[in-house]
Amino acid sequence: KRQDATHKYCPGGTAICFSEFTVAAYNITYRIAIPEVTAAPFDILLQIQAPASVGWAGLAWGGKMSSNPLTLGWANGKTAVVSSRWTGGHSLPGAYTGATYTVLPTTTANSTWWQLDVLCKGCSQWAGGSLNPNGVNGLAWAKASRAVTTAASNTSAFSIHDGKAVFSHDFSQAKIPQGVFDAL
Ligand code: HEM
Ligand SMILES: *[C@@H]1O[C@H](CO)[C@@H](O)[C@H](O)[C@H]1NC(C)=O
Ligand SMILES: *[C@@H]1O[C@H](CO)[C@@H](O)[C@H](O)[C@H]1NC(C)=O
Ligand SMILES: *[C@@H]1O[C@H](CO)[C@@H](O)[C@H](O)[C@H]1NC(C)=O
């Protein structure tokens, strides 16, 4: 079943507004901001917030497991790790060099939550697909409770999801001024 519940979220003390999607069953929130562009490719600011009980959580930018960029996050001590993945099928996704990430200093973890803040270059366009910055895109999320094998390594193995779904994310609500974006 397609879940559909993006709305705008503007944290205090910053000029950034995200469009956000919360997976209520697991309390995982995905927040997205993009520059004011009219076509792909564009950079994406992604925030993943998850309870410490979530071993890994990720997004599939094309709305399915295979043949689109996957962005995964997990906690590692007092911080969080981003991992760039791709798979041609339904097995452990390998490293994907078509997307590159900058981890922002607001990335953090403690005994109850972890939060990953990254800028992605290469998540909005790939071989076989692209995102529409002006409207709704079909994305997918996935998560597992089990911790990844080697948390310090972004090429770590990890186990299959115990939760996943496709959802609609309205990118027209994710646009922030180019200047604010560049400042990141
Ligand atoms: C060890 C890693 C993984 C394994 C072994 C695995 C395996 C599978 C299998 C067997 C299915 C089809 C059966 C089912 O629906 O459960 C599936 C579906 C799916 N997986 Fe994974 N998966 C892995 C990682 C991931 C990751 C990292 C993501 C996204 C970040 C993801 C997203 C999805 C989605 C959205 C579906 C349903 C739609 C589709 O089939 O494309 N998976 N996975
Ligand atoms: C989700 O987190 C909020 C805020 O921390 C908390 O109040 C709520 O009980 C949590 N819900 C679930 C389903 O864990
Ligand atoms: C792991 O991190 C390195 C250094 O930042 C980066 O070059 C590489 O693409 C990352 N690999 C994955 C799979 O995310
Ligand atoms: C843990 O991190 C979350 C998210 O950044 C924050 O809201 C919370 O206050 C922190 N809790 C503790 C005990 O530091």
Side-chain angles (χ1 to χ4, degrees):
K1 184 175 179 305
R2 184 165 288 256
Q3 303 170 330
D4 188 354
T6 10
H7 63 268
K8 203 134 181 152
Y9 169 75
C10 303
T14 145
I16 303 165
C17 285
F18 296 90
S19 66
E20 75 166 12
F21 176 81
T22 297
V23 181
Y26 303 112
N27 235 340
I28 302 171
T29 296
Y30 297 95
R31 299 189 172 108
I32 291 171
I34 63 169
E36 282 168 334
V37 296
T38 53
F42 50 88
D43 292 355
I44 298 175
L45 172 62
L46 170 69
Q47 179 176 86
I48 304 177
Q49 245 175 26
S53 58
V54 172
W56 65 262
L59 282 187
W61 294 98
K64 58 199 171 96
M65 180 168 166
S66 65
S67 306
N68 62 169
L70 307 174
T71 306
L72 271 73
W74 57 74
N76 176 37
K78 289 187 166 13
T79 184
V81 169
V82 66
S83 182
S84 177
R85 304 286 175 130
W86 179 285
T87 176
H90 279 152
S91 52
L92 179 65
Y96 175 55
T97 54
T100 54
Y101 294 85
T102 306
V103 178
L104 301 179
T106 40
T107 295
T108 180
N110 59 36
S111 57
T112 47
W113 293 92
W114 56 268
Q115 174 180 320
L116 176 71
D117 291 293
V118 288
L119 279 170
C120 179
K121 267 189 202 311
C123 287
S124 70
Q125 194 172 54
W126 57 92
S130 66
L131 295 172
N132 170 16
N134 310 308
V136 172
N137 292 283
L139 310 185
W141 61 267
K143 57 76 68 173
S145 299
R146 183 179 292 239
V148 306
T149 309
T150 312
S153 166
N154 65 7
T155 55
S156 175
F158 53 84
S159 59
I160 188 171
H161 28 75
D162 49 25
K164 61 174 166 50
V166 292
F167 67 102
S168 300
H169 200 105
D170 184 358
F171 277 55
S172 71
Q173 294 186 45
K175 290 187 184 182
I176 61 175
Q178 182 74 51
V180 174
F181 209 87
D182 290 345
L184 294 166

